[in-house]
Amino acid sequence: MFETIEQILSVALGGFALLSAVTGLIVSLLKNCKNKKIAGTAEKINGITELAVQKVIEVEKLFSQASSVLKAVGIKTGEIKKESVMTYLEGCCMEQKIAFDSDYWSEKIEKLVEVLNACGSR
């Protein structure tokens, strides 16, 4: 079939080059799919973040008048409001089929409340 070592090496190198090209293509396609998945997840998280802003504002408005009454009897509303938003966000994450990271969202809510309080005090 093959008469010389050069022919054997030529066929082997050609096969190796083909295998290398196909492997590179497969890796490239997998990275592209992974990047699209990451981008899709990031888009979902951005959408949930927008909903978080709306929900925090909504909960703040809901508790605006009741807060002073509840505080007068010793009930702190901050944790109640935060838990309400966290429950809502957990449902949003479940609906979007992404993992709910309570530490991540807790931090985001706290920062948002800080910003809203700073804006409200001006």
Side-chain angles (χ1 to χ4, degrees):
M1 186 163 156
F2 299 111
E3 296 179 6
T4 65
I5 191 85
E6 288 87 19
Q7 289 177 334
I8 294 171
L9 287 175
S10 175
V11 170
L13 289 175
F16 180 73
L18 179 63
L19 179 64
S20 179
V22 169
T23 302
L25 178 64
I26 291 172
V27 168
S28 176
L29 289 173
L30 289 175
K31 283 183 180 179
N32 190 27
C33 289
K34 185 176 181 181
N35 288 341
K36 285 182 181 180
K37 184 177 180 180
I38 290 170
T41 301
E43 189 175 312
K44 289 176 183 179
I45 290 173
N46 283 337
I48 293 172
T49 302
E50 290 176 17
L51 294 174
V53 171
Q54 294 170 3
K55 190 65 174 181
V56 167
I57 293 169
E58 179 185 314
V59 169
E60 287 291 338
K61 285 180 182 177
L62 180 69
F63 276 84
S64 64
Q65 293 180 4
S67 286
S68 58
V69 175
L70 292 171
K71 286 179 185 176
V73 293
I75 299 174
K76 296 181 180 181
T77 59
E79 284 301 314
I80 297 170
K81 293 186 278 188
K82 184 177 179 180
E83 190 59 38
S84 173
V85 175
M86 291 287 284
T87 301
Y88 173 76
L89 293 177
E90 186 173 13
C92 291
C93 287
M94 287 173 57
E95 187 177 289
Q96 293 293 325
K97 296 182 176 134
I98 60 173
F100 177 72
D101 183 349
S102 61
D103 293 334
Y104 172 83
W105 290 111
S106 178
E107 183 181 322
K108 295 298 178 194
I109 291 169
E110 288 172 8
K111 286 181 181 179
L112 179 59
V113 169
E114 284 178 18
V115 169
L116 290 173
N117 287 340
C119 291
S121 65
R122 289 184 182 187

